[in-house]
Amino acid sequence: MTKAEFVDQVAANSGLSKKDAADAVDAVLATIEDALKRGSEVTFSGFGKFHVAERSAREGRNPSTGEKIQIPASRVPRFTPGSGLKKAVKG
């Protein structure tokens, strides 16, 4: 599902216009992004949790040359599904 399709579904389910639904979706995504930038977690009970994970520095290999390279430490976004979402997907 693309973002445009998602906005269409939100508009249909909420009775909002497509423009208002697009604004709402953009606001939710921006809010989650801002919270993760600050290092906060965003939790929706029954749905899941967005959080930031720390990856430590490690040694890797260049796939084309086989040469060893150093991969620096980084912060990455993660999503952990909640029990309600797991049950809904499972069927």
Side-chain angles (χ1 to χ4, degrees):
M1 175 180 283
T2 65
K3 184 178 176 184
E5 292 169 337
F6 185 76
V7 168
D8 290 342
Q9 290 285 330
V10 170
N13 290 336
S14 66
L16 296 172
S17 69
K18 284 187 182 181
K19 183 188 179 322
D20 288 343
D23 290 343
V25 168
D26 288 340
V28 168
L29 295 177
T31 303
I32 292 171
E33 184 178 323
D34 289 342
L36 294 178
K37 281 181 189 176
R38 292 190 315 267
S40 299
E41 294 180 349
V42 179
T43 303
F44 297 103
S45 294
F47 181 76
K49 177 174 74 170
F50 295 92
H51 59 281
V52 176
E54 303 286 336
R55 281 191 184 162
S56 59
R58 61 198 186 280
E59 189 176 90
R61 292 201 179 266
N62 181 332
S64 60
T65 64
E67 175 187 354
K68 290 183 180 180
I69 57 173
Q70 198 60 24
I71 301 170
S74 62
R75 295 169 31 128
V76 293
R78 293 272 169 85
F79 176 75
T80 304
S83 60
L85 181 59
K86 287 180 185 178
K87 286 178 186 175
V89 170
K90 205 174 215 181

